[in-house]
Amino acid sequence: MSEYGFNTQISGPFDAAVEKVTAALKTEGFGVLTDIDVQATMKAKLDVDLRPYRILGACNPPLAHQAITAEPMSACCCPAMWLVREEADGKVTVSFLDPGIMVNLVSNTAVHGVATEARARLLRVKDSLAA
């Protein structure tokens, strides 16, 4: 864990790792709304070669609805962004922001409950990836 998020490493190949993350998120009620191919974008825009790197924007609609109903600006913290990147050794690092930081950003206690629930679900996803 960093000061603001969580990491885990899983075995590649990279595309299979992305599928594993997507499937694990689904088991906790999260769908992937966005899939940004950072490697392809950097190549197209800057002609820079990177190892495979994707950003998955995951959302749990019931939790998102609770949060934005209680505090519309809390949508700035949604969806949950998952970074999936290949390391030099071929392993894949998976990272995500700790939803618990919303407690420091939003004073509305209704959002705190949503953040706590989201954190628990996302940690279960992380733990399932490490298994």
Side-chain angles (χ1 to χ4, degrees):
M1 176 179 171
S2 74
E3 63 190 69
Y4 53 88
F6 297 93
N7 298 299
T8 191
Q9 280 203 323
I10 59 178
S11 298
F14 182 79
D15 289 335
V18 170
E19 289 177 18
K20 185 175 181 180
V21 171
T22 301
L25 285 164
K26 187 174 183 178
T27 65
E28 287 293 334
F30 290 83
V32 175
L33 300 178
T34 60
D35 183 347
I36 301 167
D37 187 335
V38 176
Q39 179 188 37
T41 300
M42 292 298 161
K43 183 64 177 174
K45 301 292 183 183
L46 301 175
D47 197 27
V48 173
D49 292 313
L50 297 177
R51 285 187 286 280
Y53 191 121
R54 304 249 295 268
I55 302 172
L56 307 176
C59 178
N60 179 299
L63 291 177
H65 181 258
Q66 288 176 37
I68 63 176
T69 299
E71 180 67 47
M73 285 293 294
S74 69
C76 291
C77 300
C78 300
M81 303 307 254
W82 284 69
L83 311 179
V84 184
R85 63 186 190 279
E86 185 178 272
E87 304 294 347
D89 63 4
K91 290 187 178 172
V92 178
T93 299
V94 179
S95 307
F96 65 96
L97 187 67
D98 181 356
I101 67 165
M102 287 179 67
V103 172
N104 299 327
L105 301 173
V106 180
S107 61
N108 186 327
T109 58
V111 175
H112 297 179
V114 174
T116 299
E117 177 65 22
R119 185 178 200 267
R121 288 173 183 252
L122 294 177
L123 285 172
R124 286 194 297 264
V125 170
K126 179 182 99 47
D127 292 345
S128 76
L129 295 171

